[in-house]
Amino acid sequence: MILPHVIETLSGIVGPEHLRLDPADFEAYATDGTKLRFMPDAVIFPGNSREVSAILILADQEGFPVIPRGAGTGMSGGALPVSGGLVMSMERFNRIVSIDEDNLIAKVEPGVITARLQAEVEKCGLFYPPDPASSDISTIGGNVAECAGGLRAVKYGVTRDYILGLTAVLPTGEILKTGVETMKGVVGYDLTRLLIGSEGTLAVVTEITVRLVPRPETQRTMIAFFREVTGAVETVSRIIRSRILPSTLELMDSRSIACVRDEIALGVPAGTEALLLIEVDGGREEVERDALRVRQVCEASGVSGFLTADDRQGAETLWEARRNLSPSLYKLRPHKVSEDIVVPRSRMAELVMFLDAVSRRYGLPIPAFGHAGDGNLHVNIMLDKNDPLECSKAEEIVKALFEKVIAMGGTLSGEHGIGITKAAYLGMEISPAGIALMQRIKKAFDPHGILNPGKMMT
């Protein structure tokens, strides 16, 4: 509970119009992409770094939790108020501060929607490559908190590869600037990289300096159908071995295809068990050459069908279906447990066969899709959470999946983060010494543990 005198002080910091105290207004801030639900005691909407600082100083003195929040699209519970407290919504931080075409950087506040930043820089002939499937609704601040990857990571990398510097407020109230506005900079510890992916447990980010690149001249989107998932997975490796690096290389299995068949609006060949959604980009000659080579590799791999989008509108239809795939899976069951594991690309076929065997053993559908180009698959255990037996089965499947992934030299999360949903499994991947070091880092940033408590190893 936040005491009355604290409420009065908070209202004075941001103004009463930017503080919500009625539980009827809390529902939208009590959940996220996990569909888990924890009610806060209040929700506050600061508008600048000074206000964030004053709120955190008060929280540090009074000992109440503060939970930073972007758009609430996270899939690991990183923005949930698990201990109650004050949800700090960053939605008023919604400005693109500047776009510097000479130095290929932009300054942006954390509440800016990812797709909006992409659209604005593209008007200048520039490109911000990180492209999470939730880009139309997720914010840049949330992308930074989770180190979001997305559809184009195979060629362009993930969020951390495009963040040059941050303005952040520490839990004790100090306003900190990290990083640089240049392509190089090695002065001191890399605090920028430390904060990226820290899931709002170390500081509240209030401004972000991003690196931009020239916008590719053109793109070509293709779709290849396969009678076996293993054939699709093996084709991914063949494409990469052919020295072609697609901007996106996405896999869908048969269950995933069934859920978006209407949105794709294409004739899917009978007996299709998997498809690859492939895009190459660059100069026109380069794109023509790479697209031809991709088709040759796919046809040599025994595809049952191969299509090329006729125009950009057709390509966008395909990508929209891919972006909507995750919510479409609820056609199979009312609930899901979604894991975003990563394995070496060369071992994806082994993982797919493992998932098929586990699905048959437990009698639950486990559609898999994702970023095949970098080995990052989204494994979805579909279930009815009102059925205790299915819940028990799902827990067993998750544990077996994680054990398999670690044994294969993989990682438990490629882009969703740890939050609360994977906290119990952190020790499967990180050694006790590593966890202890992370706990000391957390203590150094947040001595009283007021910022986003209960997440990761805290």
Side-chain angles (χ1 to χ4, degrees), residues 88-336:
M88 180 185 287
S89 172
M90 303 302 287
E91 56 196 81
R92 291 178 64 203
F93 284 79
N94 58 6
R95 295 185 308 140
I96 297 174
V97 178
S98 63
I99 299 172
D100 184 340
E101 298 180 47
D102 293 328
N103 293 300
L104 297 181
I105 64 172
K107 291 186 177 182
V108 59
E109 292 181 335
V112 171
I113 300 297
T114 309
R116 180 184 160 218
L117 173 63
Q118 292 169 331
E120 289 301 314
V121 301
E122 287 181 19
K123 291 177 184 177
C124 304
L126 301 175
F127 192 44
Y128 178 70
D131 190 34
S134 61
S135 60
D136 286 342
I137 52 176
S138 65
T139 63
I140 294 293
N143 295 171
V144 170
E146 300 293 345
C147 191
L151 308 180
R152 294 193 283 247
V154 58
K155 179 174 182 178
Y156 290 103
V158 298
T159 296
R160 65 169 168 258
D161 300 310
Y162 294 88
I163 305 301
L164 294 174
L166 302 168
T167 299
V169 184
L170 299 180
T172 44
E174 298 95 332
I175 298 174
L176 176 71
K177 289 187 178 293
T178 75
V180 295
E181 296 181 18
T182 57
M183 293 301 110
K184 295 180 179 179
V186 291
V187 177
Y189 295 130
D190 193 343
L191 297 177
T192 304
R193 283 286 183 112
L194 179 59
L195 293 180
I196 297 168
S198 63
E199 302 186 26
T201 63
L202 300 181
V204 177
V205 172
T206 57
E207 188 175 277
I208 303 155
T209 301
V210 303
R211 179 173 72 91
L212 307 173
V213 297
R215 181 181 180 181
E217 183 179 3
T218 190
Q219 307 90 13
R220 181 71 56 82
T221 303
M222 299 156 281
I223 187 167
F225 301 96
F226 296 83
R227 292 185 178 88
E228 296 180 355
V229 180
T230 52
V233 170
E234 289 164 359
T235 301
V236 170
S237 294
R238 293 190 186 107
I239 290 172
I240 302 298
R241 283 201 303 270
S242 297
R243 302 298 182 263
I244 302 165
L245 193 57
S247 53
T248 49
L249 189 45
E250 295 288 297
L251 171 75
M252 295 185 198
D253 70 2
S254 59
R255 291 189 179 96
S256 303
I257 295 169
C259 289
V260 294
R261 186 184 294 266
D262 293 340
E263 288 90 338
I264 292 176
L266 293 173
V268 178
T272 294
E273 289 295 318
L275 66 77
L276 292 178
L277 189 53
I278 309 162
E279 187 166 274
V280 293
D281 67 2
R284 294 190 181 279
E285 291 184 5
E286 176 190 8
V287 166
E288 291 291 335
R289 182 186 67 244
D290 286 351
L292 176 60
R293 185 65 184 131
V294 165
R295 180 169 193 145
Q296 291 171 339
V297 170
C298 289
E299 290 178 343
S301 300
V303 292
S304 59
F306 189 93
L307 297 171
T308 300
D310 293 331
D311 53 28
R312 197 62 206 161
Q313 183 176 355
E316 282 304 318
T317 298
L318 296 177
W319 289 119
E320 189 65 21
R322 165 60 185 87
R323 292 187 179 98
N324 291 333
L325 177 52
S326 185
S328 296
L329 295 180
Y330 291 112
K331 296 175 183 178
L332 299 174
R333 282 287 206 283
H335 307 105
K336 69 175 178 175

Side-chain angles (χ1 to χ4, degrees), residues 46 48-56 88 90 93 169 204 206:
N48 56 57
S49 296
R50 295 185 304 278
E51 291 179 357
V52 172
S53 173
I55 294 164
L56 291 177
M88 180 185 287
M90 303 302 287
F93 284 79
V169 184
V204 177
T206 57

Side-chain angles (χ1 to χ4, degrees), residues 31-44:
T31 188
D32 67 356
T34 65
K35 310 301 182 186
L36 299 171
R37 183 174 176 273
F38 297 88
M39 292 296 283
D41 297 312
V43 182
I44 199 165

Side-chain angles (χ1 to χ4, degrees), residues 6-63:
V6 172
I7 293 294
E8 184 178 351
T9 305
L10 291 172
S11 181
I13 292 171
V14 298
E17 69 275 22
H18 299 306
L19 180 65
R20 294 188 186 176
L21 303 172
D22 186 345
D25 296 331
F26 296 168
E27 195 63 41
Y29 303 91
T31 188
D32 67 356
T34 65
K35 310 301 182 186
L36 299 171
R37 183 174 176 273
F38 297 88
M39 292 296 283
D41 297 312
V43 182
I44 199 165
F45 304 85
N48 56 57
S49 296
R50 295 185 304 278
E51 291 179 357
V52 172
S53 173
I55 294 164
L56 291 177
I57 288 172
L58 180 64
D60 194 55
Q61 292 172 345
E62 298 288 341

